[in-house]
Amino acid sequence: MRIALLGPLEVQYDGRPIAPSAPKQRTLLALLLLNANHEVSVGQCARELGDGASRKCSVSTVHTHILQLRKALGPAAKRLRTTGAGPDAGYLFTTEPMELDLDRFDKLVGIARTRRADGNLGDAARLITEALNLWRTEALVDVKTGPGAQRTLVGLRTKRMEALVICADLALRLGHHRQVLGKLTALVHRHPAEEQLTAHLMTALYRSGRQGDALAVYQRFLTSAETSSRALSELQTAILLADPVLEGPAMTPSDLISAG
């Protein structure tokens, strides 16, 4: 099986797409896949299918949607198991290692972190780029998710942001500040209060001979962020003083933030 959650929902079995088209079934399948290999109770399913966080559908409606989902999955329906009985009943969707793009993302990011810690910056950059390329757009962008899935998606967005910060950090360590300027500018435009991305962009701009633009990014951060940042303030001072430590790839915003 091939299962993709980091973008539109896609499920393939023997090369054939089998993801259901009915909205409620897609909502239910998304919840089960986000909790792959873990039991999801009937109550959780009922809340997910309801018309709001405080409303849920009936148990019989959940059973009906599960039945329809199994029909849509065809030969892959054996992956969807019923667990327990009565009030303790639930459902579990089993997956094999690396069938989920989310699992592949986590594995690649983990290896990239290790390579970076070991000083293998080129390998780390390649791996983190491969991981980020698994994100086609926002996760489950075409699914109407309920409260359970939405909580998980918040965590996924945090993981993606952490990977983006690592990717930018590696680019600066490798001296690729000009190559990442465009992407960093777009990211900070979308996330103006993200401290580490802002630090990376300020450093990339400074190293590209754009001191004024680097300082302007800091001012926009102060406008957008709810709290001040000692680390960014120190970075601003270093830029104003044209501190030589900012010139080479050996010193990155991560070092400044850690020191702050």
Side-chain angles (χ1 to χ4, degrees):
M1 273 185 97
R2 177 183 173 276
I3 304 169
L5 306 180
L6 304 180
L9 174 62
E10 294 181 5
V11 183
Q12 292 186 1
Y13 188 84
D14 287 339
R16 182 173 65 88
I18 58 171
S21 57
K24 291 290 188 181
Q25 293 170 37
R26 292 172 68 81
T27 296
L28 197 52
L29 180 59
L31 177 68
L32 293 167
L33 291 175
L34 287 171
N35 293 277
N37 301 311
H38 293 87
E39 180 183 352
V40 178
S41 70
V42 171
Q44 289 175 283
C45 293
R47 286 187 291 274
E48 200 76 358
L49 294 170
D51 295 324
S54 61
R55 299 180 60 187
K56 61 181 183 180
C57 65
S58 66
V59 171
S60 62
T61 300
V62 173
H63 293 328
T64 298
H65 285 302
I66 287 289
L67 179 62
Q68 293 171 341
L69 178 57
R70 284 196 168 108
K71 289 180 180 178
L73 292 173
K78 60 189 177 184
R79 299 289 194 98
L80 177 52
R81 293 167 37 203
T82 301
T83 61
D88 298 321
Y91 303 100
L92 183 147
F93 197 104
T94 60
T95 61
E96 298 296 328
M98 302 302 109
E99 285 185 334
L100 277 162
D101 59 352
L102 175 56
D103 290 344
R104 297 196 298 276
F105 172 79
D106 285 341
K107 185 178 179 70
L108 287 166
V109 171
I111 298 173
R113 289 181 185 274
T114 301
R115 294 284 192 276
R116 183 176 64 161
D118 292 342
N120 297 324
L121 304 186
D123 281 351
R126 176 182 58 80
L127 289 163
I128 204 70
T129 299
E130 185 179 346
L132 286 167
N133 285 342
L134 292 171
W135 287 78
R136 294 159 290 145
T137 178
E138 291 297 319
L140 296 172
V141 67
D142 60 344
V143 178
K144 184 180 179 181
T145 52
Q150 288 167 12
R151 285 190 294 271
T152 304
L153 291 177
V154 170
L156 293 186
R157 286 191 286 271
T158 299
K159 285 185 177 183
R160 187 185 190 185
M161 181 60 68
E162 290 171 351
L164 287 166
V165 169
I166 292 171
C167 189
D169 173 73
L170 287 165
L172 292 177
R173 288 177 184 269
L174 291 165
H176 299 163
H177 44 275
R178 293 185 185 274
Q179 292 92 321
V180 297
L181 256 181
K183 184 173 288 186
L184 269 175
T185 299
L187 283 169
V188 172
H189 179 74
R190 292 199 298 271
H191 308 282
E194 212 324 299
E195 179 179 346
Q196 289 187 301
L197 282 181
T198 298
H200 288 317
L201 177 57
M202 289 171 65
T203 300
L205 285 166
Y206 178 79
R207 290 183 183 174
S208 301
R210 296 168 58 183
Q211 182 190 47
D213 290 335
L215 295 172
V217 168
Y218 175 68
Q219 292 303 319
R220 287 197 294 273
F221 174 85
L222 293 180
T223 301
S224 302
E226 296 180 359
T227 58
S228 60
S229 166
R230 177 184 170 188
L232 286 183
S233 176
E234 291 175 356
L235 178 56
Q236 180 210 29
T237 300
I239 290 172
L240 286 168
L241 297 175
D243 193 328
V245 77
L246 295 177
E247 294 292 344
M251 183 66 174
T252 74
S254 291
D255 300 316
L256 286 171
I257 288 173
S258 296

